[in-house]
Amino acid sequence: MPASILGEGGHLSEAAMTRDTATRLSCPSCGSAFVAQVLGDNGGISYVCTACGHSWS
């Protein structure tokens, strides 16, 4: 039984790493991964690079 639990744990951590990579944003201006998600003026979602200050939506 412990072997099957460990096997599932490895499978779940791989899925978490894939999901993390798929949702990671980078700044289109400087390429930095330091991006903050902010609420836009009209309720939309915008992003701001905390490295260079570039913002986009």
Side-chain angles (χ1 to χ4, degrees):
M1 183 67 100
S4 64
I5 292 171
L6 292 175
E8 283 297 313
H11 177 69
L12 293 175
S13 64
E14 289 172 11
M17 287 192 308
T18 302
R19 183 177 59 242
D20 184 46
T21 303
T23 59
R24 188 169 296 148
L25 293 172
S26 61
C27 175
S29 181
C30 72
S32 172
F34 295 104
V35 175
Q37 185 177 6
V38 295
L39 187 61
D41 292 336
N42 296 323
I45 301 296
S46 297
Y47 304 96
V48 177
C49 176
T50 58
C52 74
H54 179 76
S55 62
W56 70 99
S57 56

